[in-house]
Amino acid sequence: APVDFSGTWGLVSSENFENYMKSLDIDFMTRKVAKMLTPQKVIEQQGDKFSIRTLSTFRNYLVEFKVGEEYEEDTKGLDNRKLLSLVTWDNERLVCVQKGEKKNRGWTHWIQGDELHLELTCEDQLCKQVYQKV
Ligand code: VLZ
């Protein structure tokens, strides 16, 4: 693997998360709570094997995958959909395509300086988040 994402990362900035959640049909009350959160990403990486935990005071979310191997993703506690997801390397970026009901759904992670960057897309919405090591 070209990069090591391992560590505990705390959210420092977020753009357009509200519209990203809207594009996933997440209800009003959940969006109001969720947009106030400062989640942490706890990433464990062993070569091409990953677990990414998104932890918050409200809800937690776990994905585990191996780069290049499609996996079934159940977005329980988020928008509660079943997806077929595939993560690949794009140079130093980790790119996930999430096939399902929603078009253009996925995310990209990369390291820039001492920051972990995340772009989340769904339909016509793009949410950008930056995390720093805690
Ligand atoms: O991240 O797919 O790091 O899964 C929001 C948690 C996490 C807060 C959104 C609770 C998941 C919100 C983002 C309740 C609606 C995501 C991937 C890339 C790994």
Side-chain angles (χ1 to χ4, degrees):
V3 198
D4 187 9
F5 289 85
S6 297
T8 299
W9 305 85
L11 184 74
V12 292
S13 72
S14 184
E15 287 173 27
N16 208 40
F17 186 50
E18 169 83 1
N19 284 325
Y20 170 76
M21 288 189 288
K22 267 191 203 170
S23 72
L24 291 172
D25 312 308
I26 291 173
D27 68 87
F28 178 86
M29 287 306 295
T30 303
R31 293 202 312 270
K32 294 305 132 189
V33 176
K35 77 175 189 185
M36 298 304 294
L37 302 171
T38 51
Q40 289 187 349
K41 296 278 181 190
V42 179
I43 303 180
E44 290 176 26
Q45 177 183 354
Q46 282 166 311
D48 276 351
K49 281 192 70 180
F50 284 80
S51 71
I52 302 180
R53 285 185 168 74
T54 306
L55 304 179
S56 77
T57 51
F58 176 52
R59 247 163 237 178
N60 299 324
Y61 187 67
L62 167 67
V63 286
E64 294 176 290
F65 57 85
K66 191 168 177 205
V67 176
E69 290 184 7
E70 197 166 54
Y71 58 100
E72 290 180 19
E73 184 170 356
D74 183 344
T75 61
K76 197 169 155 58
L78 304 178
D79 60 313
N80 300 301
R81 288 190 171 91
K82 298 275 171 63
L83 312 174
L84 265 184
S85 300
L86 175 65
V87 178
T88 55
W89 290 109
D90 176 10
N91 297 306
E92 317 253 286
R93 294 180 182 218
L94 205 53
V95 178
C96 181
V97 174
Q98 297 171 311
K99 275 193 291 182
E101 184 185 339
K102 295 290 180 180
K103 301 293 176 208
N104 191 38
R105 182 170 183 172
W107 53 259
T108 300
H109 267 301
W110 70 96
I111 306 271
Q112 200 168 299
D114 58 2
E115 297 172 339
L116 173 72
H117 287 244
L118 172 61
E119 286 186 355
L120 296 159
T121 60
C122 181
E123 300 190 318
D124 59 346
Q125 297 302 321
L126 171 63
C127 168
K128 296 189 184 194
Q129 297 186 334
V130 178
Y131 293 78
Q132 285 179 350
K133 278 247 168 93
V134 298

